[in-house]
Amino acid sequence: MRLDYVSIFPDFFAPLELSLPGKAAARGLLEIGVHDLRRWTHDRHRTVDDTPYGGGAGMVMKPEPWGEAFDDLLTVSTTVVFTTPSGERFDQRLAADLATREHLLFACGRYEGIDQRVIDHARERAEVREISLGDYVLNGGEVAALAVTEAVVRLLPGFMGNAASLEEESHSEEGLLEYPVYTKPPAWRGLEVPAVLRSGDHGKVAAWRREQAVRRTAERRPDLLAPSVLDDGTPIVPATLGDAGELLTLQRACWVQEALANDMLDIPALHETLDDVRDWLAEWDTYVVRRAGRLVGAVRGRVERGGETWDIGRIMVAPDLQGSGLGRALLDHIQAVAPAGVTSYVLFTGAASARNQRIYKLAGFRLRPDLPAPPGAVVLTKRRR
Ligand code: JD8
């Protein structure tokens, strides 16, 4: 990949030498060119700006120097990136897209911005992306160009020492925030490393990390969570410990029906206590639906068998809402939020729960008499597409 930067402050890009792009360039994996826009001025004052047509404060960057810069730097495979507060929001998806390009030419403005004809002209000659780093005002486009560069270059094959870590990252394909990380010493200033991380139980560690990532995302960036709403706009949201009481009530209501349908009382869910619910809320990714403040639906999921299987359970719908499609919506949602790496889903239901089995089969699940099931229950599985 080739990266070019045009700016009236070319020294802004000196850090490139120090960081990953610089090292990559040294290894011949990347070509970098930094250009002073004034190189394409011809007057004694090397003028790059003038007063805005229509009046107003500040100055606007003149089109001529940019046009000549493009004449010298554009190739058939160039993507021109204007970093601007009025651009499309930069994110990991866009970083991955730009990482597929051969040549990125960053046009970094200053003052009140660049004459609009420069962007319009560039669009006639090359792919153009107008990109904003975020909803705040900077004084120029250089900082944004540096940030976009780092996010793109680290995605290029062979740049990051350990590609696997790219998969796990925040904003990666799955879009969850990072889980908390720890290293030695195990105790520091009275603060302990969570015991699960020192347990050596990879399944439990994976479940804890996932639960932490979902909890953080729900608390800090609910917008990142797989927005799932029912047809009537009712959201499906992550459960919190505060939901434990209502979950217990809903669970008892649903499993009384299961017990009657299957003529058996020793169904674990029927005998759980509030503490049991609190305990499994800490281990499972659980989602709930509220209508008029009433908790009317829930479902949970967790990683099994080393991360390949997503164990789905406790699909619960308030008795008065059964047949409304809520159960199917919860089943679809819990499949959608399964982590990257999951290749199949598994769930259990009552051997005599004909209605549940019908719903699951319609959703693509298959009965698996070949797999072990709890007493009075059957197993259904589904490959993840
Ligand atoms: C390019 C000039 C300054 C902006 C008057 C302040 C990106 N996320 C972002 N915030 N700000 C920028 C950005 C700001 C720029 C230029 C990018 C060129 N300015 C202007 C309009 C208001 N001054 C950005 N990416």
Side-chain angles (χ1 to χ4, degrees):
M1 175 183 272
R2 180 176 173 82
L3 300 171
D4 280 295
Y5 304 84
V6 180
S7 161
I8 59 171
F9 297 127
D11 296 348
F12 236 100
F13 297 97
L16 281 176
E17 298 312 318
L18 312 172
S19 64
L20 177 75
K23 293 188 179 71
R27 287 164 45 209
L29 297 173
L30 207 56
E31 292 169 36
I32 295 176
V34 176
H35 315 277
D36 184 338
L37 180 67
R38 296 185 193 280
R39 168 181 152 195
W40 291 282
T41 62
H42 308 292
D43 63 306
R44 196 152 61 82
H45 302 298
R46 310 186 83 201
T47 305
V48 294
D49 63 315
D50 206 332
T51 54
Y53 273 118
M59 302 292 274
V60 172
M61 300 193 91
K62 294 168 60 62
E64 301 94 327
W66 287 104
E68 293 183 34
F70 293 160
D71 294 345
D72 287 351
L73 298 174
L74 281 186
T75 71
V76 289
S77 63
T78 302
T79 295
V80 181
V81 176
F82 290 93
T83 48
T84 164
S86 55
E88 58 182 305
R89 184 67 178 275
F90 185 60
D91 60 13
Q92 195 64 21
R93 179 193 50 75
L94 184 45
D97 180 21
L98 291 175
T100 65
R101 301 299 191 273
E102 285 177 34
H103 180 209
L104 298 179
L105 169 55
F106 289 91
C108 304
R110 280 274 155 175
Y111 306 100
E112 298 313 302
I114 301 173
D115 186 300
Q116 180 59 37
R117 292 169 291 178
V118 172
I119 294 96
D120 303 341
H121 171 68
R123 284 188 188 286
E124 292 159 6
R125 302 177 63 176
E127 179 194 11
V128 166
R129 304 299 288 265
E130 293 183 79
I131 295 174
S132 169
L133 204 55
D135 301 340
Y136 39 81
V137 180
L138 303 170
N139 280 339
E142 289 80 6
V143 168
L146 282 169
V148 171
T149 296
E150 177 150 327
V152 168
V153 167
R154 63 193 301 286
L155 296 176
L156 298 175
F159 278 65
M160 288 295 283
N162 150 5
S165 71
L166 287 178
E167 270 165 39
E168 266 198 27
E169 283 168 349
S170 284
H171 307 294
S172 63
E173 189 197 319
E174 208 195 342
L176 289 177
L177 299 184
E178 300 284 342
Y179 46 75
V181 292
Y182 300 81
T183 186
K184 290 186 274 305
W188 175 75
R189 297 192 179 190
L191 299 170
E192 300 273 337
V193 172
V196 63
L197 297 180
R198 298 166 58 215
S199 69
D201 180 329
H202 300 307
K204 279 199 169 15
V205 169
W208 180 88
R209 283 176 168 172
R210 182 170 169 67
E211 193 273 329
Q212 291 289 319
V214 169
R215 177 195 303 276
R216 269 185 168 188
T217 309
E219 286 159 2
R220 301 176 187 185
R221 293 292 308 279
D223 59 297
L224 291 175
L225 284 173
S228 208
V229 292
L230 305 176
D231 301 351
D232 66 358
T234 307
I236 301 176
V237 298
T240 65
L241 275 179
D243 296 320
E246 286 177 278
L247 278 169
L248 180 64
T249 306
L250 179 63
Q251 185 167 290
R252 296 258 172 96
C254 292
W255 263 268
V256 163
Q257 282 184 292
E258 279 293 280
L260 294 171
N262 292 274
D263 188 23
M264 56 182 290
L265 283 178
D266 57 348
I267 302 175
L270 197 53
H271 301 279
E272 284 186 353
T273 66
L274 184 57
D275 287 340
D276 294 329
V277 174
R278 287 199 179 109
D279 290 345
W280 64 246
L281 270 173
E283 284 173 21
W284 292 72
D285 294 357
T286 306
Y287 295 82
V288 296
V289 169
R290 287 182 177 281
R291 281 252 173 80
R294 177 167 69 108
L295 196 154
V296 294
V299 64
R300 70 182 190 181
R302 74 173 174 187
V303 174
E304 292 285 351
R305 282 183 270 285
E308 290 196 355
T309 301
W310 186 237
D311 185 349
I312 295 171
R314 302 295 156 90
I315 302 174
M316 301 187 267
V317 174
D320 58 309
L321 290 175
Q322 282 165 10
S324 68
L326 178 52
R328 179 57 191 271
L330 289 163
L331 182 58
D332 293 346
H333 177 75
I334 200 66
Q335 291 174 74
V337 299
V342 161
T343 58
S344 68
Y345 309 111
V346 61
L347 55 81
F348 306 108
T349 192
S353 305
R355 187 168 166 286
N356 292 351
Q357 290 181 37
R358 200 170 42 255
I359 292 171
Y360 300 147
K361 288 175 184 171
L362 284 171
F365 283 78
R366 289 291 159 268
L367 272 173
R368 296 294 302 280
D370 59 310
L371 295 176
V378 292
V379 183
L380 297 98
T381 64
K382 175 183 174 181
R383 303 255 358 113
R384 186 183 202 174
R385 264 185 276 292

